[in-house]
Amino acid sequence: MMDHHTQPAHVLHELQFKTPLQEYSPEVRQLVFDYTLQLADTSLILSHRLAEWCGHGPILEQDMAMTNISLDLLGEARNLYQYAAELEGKGHTEDDLAYLRDAVAYKNPLLVEQPNGNFGDTVLRQFIFDTFHYFFLKELQNSTDHRLAAIAEKSLKEASYHIKWSSEWVIRLGDGTEESKKRMEAAIDELWTYSGELFEATPTEKALQELDIIPDYTSIKAEWDKHVAQVLQEATLALPQDQWMQSGGKYGRHSEHLGYILSDLQYLQRTYPGQKW
Amino acid sequence: MNKKEWPLWEVFIRSKQGLDHKHVGSIHAADAEMAILNARDVYTRRMEGVSIWVVESSHIHASNPEEAGSFFDPANDKVYRHPTFYVVPAEIKNM
């Protein structure tokens, strides 16, 4: 993938070298493969959304902040796709997995494919995700799967910055001007319904949780609730009541947005197969 | 200036090699905390820094370029002010 800035080749090798592929039964291996892809898809799609801001940010400083976060997520996605390709063992590369799968094969939650909207919408989408991502990676570091644990440890440093960035912005926009507050309220109305899917375990996730390969979401949800409530309060924004939540992305049932993202993202590789950076 | 525009901040970064914070440029931000985040995003992307200072540009007072002659020229012919006549002991680092 076209990302030599965040992930020089030696970093990937280092992760591979430190953590050789574990012995799994074919069934467990399939589960870990499916789940690793789900994580990779999630980071890739959100990375792409943030990259769409490149050159369009409200000010230069935030243009760069969003593309920096985008590159962090792209680096994480690369590590995950590469691990998935190894697990699959069919000779596919990270590029095949990212660029040659159709929308139904993508397992990212619906939240990350939602359109950028205005800056406030993007900040809120990022805040919902970053808070999940941060507390999730903290737990995933303890995974019995050494490679996932190593990837989590590496990405956590970046995620710690992301959660700070988006939390500070939620506070400043919520407790900002009348206009910025109105926009943040609209963003919450629009996006809150996609937050539940992050914590909804699919059969794959449940099986992996029982095997202690991935963390249970209960405690992560509690940390998420706490942080979100704290930030919204400081932002003078109302915490939404429990409500009906959208889901489906983790099963490959996506909104129409994902198709457009993939046609952008995959165009080059599908038109000129086998191109390399 | 448009009143809705964020104030300008000057950014100083201390690099791994250096002991001092060096001026690297400026950024816009609504407050000090955001200024530090922005400075991080704009000026430390290539592992440049280990520490960041920001100061609102309006707090910096500068000498007047028109007075440069009277300010700086008198030092030109006072070469004896340079401590070039001393040998720096090898133990002294960072001179």
Side-chain angles (χ1 to χ4, degrees), chain A residues 23 82 93 102-103 130 137 141 242 252 254 262:
Chain A
E23 291 289 331
Q82 204 166 62
T93 64
D102 290 330
D130 289 344
L137 289 175
Q141 288 187 114
D242 281 344
H254 292 280
L262 292 183

Side-chain angles (χ1 to χ4, degrees), chain A residues 22-40:
Chain A
Q22 273 161 286
E23 291 289 331
Y24 284 128
S25 70
E27 295 77 26
V28 175
R29 200 179 165 103
Q30 182 67 40
L31 288 171
V32 178
F33 169 73
D34 288 341
Y35 184 70
T36 303
L37 263 190
Q38 177 189 316
L39 293 181

